[in-house]
Amino acid sequence: MDRNTYITRAEDQLDWLDGRIDELKEKAEKDQAEAREDYERRVAALQERADEARATLDRMRAAGDGAWDELKAGFESAWKDISSAVERADGRSGS
């Protein structure tokens, strides 16, 4: 996959993540206070990870070929962690 295609795919993944975070925020608003606090913490952590991933993507756009491979590997690893965290958070929301 070429660099531009990869970046476009990564942007799509982050857009998906933003949507999932919004859904989890909505679910948290509907839950009891204690559970809501737990969801809010999880959503805040996901938002922080999403922001970090976007920052990495910005660095990837500007990176030279040498740094590209390292940043790409870091983004892929972070994306796996984020995806797992979304699934765990969503599982706790009753979906």
Side-chain angles (χ1 to χ4, degrees):
M1 170 180 324
D2 72 3
R3 187 176 182 150
N4 289 333
T5 302
Y6 186 88
I7 288 173
T8 298
R9 187 188 81 179
E11 289 170 339
D12 290 344
Q13 289 174 316
L14 289 171
D15 289 343
W16 171 86
L17 178 59
D18 288 340
R20 297 296 292 139
I21 289 171
D22 289 342
E23 289 174 13
L24 290 169
K25 284 179 183 178
E26 288 177 21
K27 289 178 182 180
E29 290 174 6
K30 295 177 183 175
D31 285 331
Q32 299 297 327
E34 183 178 314
R36 183 181 313 164
E37 289 176 13
D38 183 48
Y39 294 144
E40 287 173 353
R41 279 192 300 274
R42 290 174 185 279
V43 168
L46 286 171
Q47 187 65 61
E48 185 175 323
R49 286 179 166 179
D51 293 344
E52 291 170 2
R54 283 195 190 286
T56 299
L57 184 58
D58 289 341
R59 288 192 304 275
M60 289 170 70
R61 283 188 187 100
D65 290 338
W68 167 256
D69 289 332
E70 184 177 327
L71 289 168
K72 180 180 171 187
F75 183 87
E76 289 175 355
S77 176
W79 183 254
K80 287 178 186 175
D81 291 343
I82 290 169
S83 296
S84 294
V86 168
E87 289 177 20
R88 286 191 305 274
D90 194 34
R92 292 195 186 274
S93 68
S95 287

